[in-house]
Amino acid sequence: MVVRMAQYTIDVEDLDVMVAFWSAALGYEVRQGDDGSAKLLPPGPPSAAAPTIWLQGSGTAKQGKNRVHLDLVADTDPQAEVRRLVGLGARHVDVGQTGNEGFTVLADPEGNEFCVLDRPPTR
């Protein structure tokens, strides 16, 4: 047996800001609960290629560098996608890159790091 990724959970301080950012960034449908959380659903059935995102209200700000982060791949030009994400509220962050990486490191509006890959991962 093996497991597959079904959902990625992000603790958030401001649920509305994070719902707006991540749903627009990923094109996911929002199902917001009354408990301070929201589920973002991909188009079509959940899969390892498109897991759901759970935004869990924590009431506290992020502290330190993420130990786990999302690597995103664009359907179009990666740098155009980076510009779009920055327009939605992401920002560039330096986590020690040299400038020769095949990805761009960004942070969402609450500082959670994620990468936009220049191309899909290879085996």
Side-chain angles (χ1 to χ4, degrees), residues 18-118:
M18 296 297 276
V19 163
F21 175 78
W22 282 109
S23 64
L26 299 172
Y28 278 26
E29 175 188 334
V30 177
R31 296 247 174 97
Q32 196 157 337
D34 295 331
D35 61 353
S37 67
K39 184 171 278 196
L40 304 182
L41 304 168
S47 71
T52 60
I53 305 291
W54 181 259
L55 299 177
Q56 179 173 273
S58 69
T60 60
K62 176 188 174 286
Q63 297 179 19
K65 183 182 178 298
N66 295 8
R67 298 282 306 247
V68 175
H69 67 268
L70 291 169
D71 284 341
L72 306 177
V73 65
D75 290 338
T76 60
D77 173 45
Q79 290 311 305
E81 187 60 22
V82 166
R83 289 188 297 275
R84 184 183 78 85
L85 293 166
V86 168
L88 291 173
R91 62 183 167 80
H92 290 269
V93 292
D94 182 355
V95 295
Q97 306 91 295
T98 64
N100 297 320
E101 293 78 15
F103 55 86
T104 301
V105 182
L106 299 174
D108 69 19
E110 290 193 355
N112 299 296
E113 298 92 357
F114 65 95
C115 295
V116 177
L117 306 179
D118 291 349

Side-chain angles (χ1 to χ4, degrees), residues 4-25:
R4 67 176 179 86
M5 181 183 287
Q7 181 167 278
Y8 190 81
T9 302
I10 304 172
D11 288 345
V12 302
E13 185 174 14
D14 188 327
L15 184 64
D16 293 334
V17 166
M18 296 297 276
V19 163
F21 175 78
W22 282 109
S23 64

